[in-house]
Amino acid sequence: MLHSARLARRLAAASPPAFNLYAASAAFATYFCMYAFRKPFAAAAYEGTWIELALAGQPVAVQLKTAFVISQIVGYAASKFLGIKVCSEARRGQRAALLIAMIVWAELALAAFAVLPPTWKPLAMLLNGLPLGMVWGLVVQYLEGRRTSEFLLAALSCSYIVSSGVVKDVGRALTSPVPEASGPFVLPTVSDYWMPVVTGAIFLPLFLSAVWLLDHLPEQTAADKRQRTERVPMDATARRAFLRRFLPGLAPLLASYFLLTAFRDFRDNYMVDVLETMGYSYAQYGSAVSRMELCVALVVLSAMASLALVRDNQLGLLAVYGVMIAGVGLLGVATYLHQHGLISGLTWMTLLGTGSYLAYVPYNSLLCDRLLASTRSVGTAVFAIYVADAVGYCGSVLVQLFKDMAFRSASRLEYLAQLSYLVSVVGATALAASCRYFLRSARPTPVGVVVPDPLVAAPGGDGITLD
């Protein structure tokens, strides 16, 4: 990818606020656009059709949309396993090319989804998900190891909260345009099956521009390496040693993530269906999904940014766990309030999004960094992130199948409510157990180690020394 030498020089000499704003914006835009190739299909219902999937050699009948969701998640989960190797070994000069190649692959799979017969469409969705799970790790590599990494990763994490709602609204607009809409930016009307590839085509130029900007970020400075250590890849031996050492704390952590990822994906994939069931049609409520997810993103970003201000690693780890436990607790409370008529359906869905993302976002950013720092472990956060993601997306597949196999007569609205209670109780218990273990395993930060101000320090800046 061609670079601008002038832009690279300006970024290397940029002030802390300017550097942070540029890095956060470029990473946010890159991952935001990726969702246009992953989630727009979820805006369509694909109702009235069932399809057989082979599960353990036995045919299982599931709804067509469930087959699409499961197929994409299977590809996405496989991508997480591949990402453990691909993302950890990718050199700086390869990242931009890999990002572009993955998105082109995903768009071609969506084109196949549009033209293949129904029985082959799940395969197209599997191929669509296969490269997309590695995008996160490649983007994170541009941001980790910096003295402002917590802030940058928090901003990046909010991208998939906002983008999921936006691309669904674009998809709904493509298939169900508002009758009175007029002007030069009116979207064409397409079928449910052509809508995902058209949505991807709309966002492709924006994605390419965002990757170009992201690839201009300078490498870690000497000050970054002194205060955050230089990031070290983990080979198979190091990965096994890490898992053996921390298995008692990782097991409940992964169990909670198993359920939480399944819940987040179920809400995300069937949000439009649930809203329609509650009477919130697109024709009447327009971009309600985007507005709802924007509110969620603002709350989550504020919480994550505030966590970055806690400099002590042990207190920071406790604070992260506290936010996550509060998030899963909110799921049960919000569902109870909705079932008793105390809040509206839109408010309920907003609170479910807020609670699930307050618990989910730290897994992919702050939590893994804090675990390594508080236990004084050498390695890379990407490994722990991708292990959790691989487990989590397996849970997502199983929960999707469980709905159509064991609760076929239940609506998705009813199933979401019951799932909320399960994740709330089990998730809070498992997170509390994991928190207790890792706090006991934590080691104090050595005297004299430089601790940065996470929102001010940047290339060339000064940190704060602990006496």
Side-chain angles (χ1 to χ4, degrees), residues 52-314:
E52 286 191 350
L53 295 179
L55 184 64
Q58 299 296 321
V60 177
V62 298
Q63 294 185 38
L64 189 59
K65 182 171 182 177
T66 302
F68 297 158
V69 171
I70 291 173
S71 297
Q72 190 191 56
I73 293 175
V74 168
Y76 205 76
S79 187
K80 295 299 182 181
F81 285 103
L82 293 172
I84 294 174
K85 176 178 176 62
V86 174
C87 294
S88 62
E89 295 180 0
R91 297 188 298 272
R92 173 59 187 263
Q94 299 174 319
R95 293 176 197 163
L98 283 171
L99 285 169
I100 294 171
M102 289 171 183
I103 290 302
V104 171
W105 177 326
E107 178 72 347
L108 291 175
L110 291 178
F113 175 77
V115 300
L116 288 175
T119 54
W120 286 95
K121 290 184 186 296
L123 175 60
M125 293 309 300
L126 186 149
L127 294 175
N128 169 262
L130 192 58
L132 293 179
M134 289 180 277
V135 173
W136 176 264
L138 293 171
V139 176
V140 165
Q141 283 186 321
Y142 284 102
L143 307 180
E144 69 171 333
R146 303 180 189 276
R147 290 170 292 164
T148 53
S149 286
E150 290 93 347
F151 171 75
L152 298 176
L153 291 171
L156 172 63
S157 298
C158 288
S159 63
Y160 55 75
I161 305 174
V162 179
S163 60
S164 183
V166 171
V167 300
K168 287 189 184 73
D169 279 338
V170 173
R172 295 170 84 189
L174 285 167
T175 56
S176 305
V178 179
E180 63 273 14
S182 61
F185 301 108
V186 176
L187 297 174
T189 302
V190 298
S191 70
D192 288 348
Y193 295 111
W194 277 99
M195 174 265 291
V197 70
V198 173
T199 305
I202 291 172
F203 281 86
L204 182 58
L206 299 176
F207 176 83
L208 296 175
S209 300
V211 171
W212 185 82
L213 293 172
L214 183 65
D215 203 45
H216 280 80
L217 286 180
E219 293 283 8
Q220 285 180 284
T221 64
D224 288 329
K225 294 174 182 179
R226 285 195 302 271
Q227 297 186 7
R228 291 300 176 109
T229 72
E230 188 172 3
R231 296 298 159 159
V232 180
M234 297 175 69
D235 59 17
T237 301
R239 295 196 296 266
R240 286 194 296 268
F242 182 88
L243 292 176
R244 284 196 300 267
R245 178 183 175 189
F246 296 117
L247 185 59
L250 289 174
L253 189 64
L254 294 177
S256 64
Y257 194 66
F258 180 93
L259 289 174
L260 186 60
T261 304
F263 178 86
R264 188 206 73 133
D265 264 14
F266 191 88
R267 173 188 175 272
D268 196 36
N269 287 313
Y270 300 110
M271 182 190 308
V272 173
D273 308 66
V274 172
L275 290 174
E276 292 278 354
T277 301
M278 293 189 293
Y280 298 101
S281 65
Y282 177 74
Q284 184 177 1
Y285 288 90
S287 59
V289 175
S290 296
R291 296 195 302 272
M292 183 170 62
E293 298 297 75
L294 179 60
C295 292
V296 172
L298 291 175
V299 173
V300 173
L301 177 59
S302 299
M304 296 302 104
S306 65
L307 288 175
L309 296 173
V310 183
R311 298 180 188 134
D312 181 82
N313 288 321
Q314 294 184 51

Side-chain angles (χ1 to χ4, degrees), residues 13-22 147-148 151-152 455-462:
S15 65
F19 176 84
N20 292 333
L21 179 60
Y22 178 97
R147 290 170 292 164
T148 53
F151 171 75
L152 298 176
L455 296 181
V456 177
D462 295 324

Side-chain angles (χ1 to χ4, degrees), residues 26-70:
F28 183 99
T30 300
Y31 207 72
F32 182 102
C33 292
M34 185 281 285
Y35 258 62
F37 302 86
R38 184 184 172 205
K39 285 298 183 181
F41 85 96
Y46 307 108
E47 292 178 344
T49 305
W50 289 70
I51 190 173
E52 286 191 350
L53 295 179
L55 184 64
Q58 299 296 321
V60 177
V62 298
Q63 294 185 38
L64 189 59
K65 182 171 182 177
T66 302
F68 297 158
V69 171
I70 291 173

